[in-house]
Amino acid sequence: MGTRTAERPAVAPVAPTAGRPLPEVFEDMTLPVRSAAGLLGLSPWTVDRLIDRGVLLTTVCGPYRYVTLTSIMAYRRLGRS
């Protein structure tokens, strides 16, 4: 059996305030890529691709990238994971 791949339309960057705004307490919170992947139910590789496309926002500390909690919640609100 062969595998089928469906072409997906380009994904526009997700604004952290899409839908209802999140409380300001979440503004400075970040998660490592692996934790973000677990929260979204995706693989770390997929989260890296979303970061590279600009869908998820990150901060960098040394060699590590941390995904902002507001972008994770905005992505989940859109029902993409």
Side-chain angles (χ1 to χ4, degrees):
M1 303 231 158
T3 58
R4 293 176 33 188
T5 58
E7 290 187 29
R8 292 185 172 175
V11 178
V14 176
T17 57
R20 291 173 283 149
L22 292 172
E24 288 184 22
V25 70
F26 296 120
E27 288 297 320
D28 295 327
M29 297 178 109
T30 58
L31 293 172
V33 171
R34 280 185 182 247
S35 298
L39 189 62
L40 292 171
L42 303 171
S43 70
W45 184 81
T46 302
V47 172
D48 280 332
R49 285 185 22 199
L50 292 172
I51 292 168
D52 292 340
R53 287 187 200 164
V55 175
L56 296 175
L57 304 175
T58 61
T59 59
V60 178
C61 184
Y64 304 105
R65 295 197 291 186
Y66 296 91
V67 183
T68 61
L69 190 57
T70 53
S71 68
I72 292 170
M73 294 310 202
Y75 186 81
R76 284 186 64 173
R77 275 195 196 143
L78 294 175
R80 295 189 177 161
S81 62

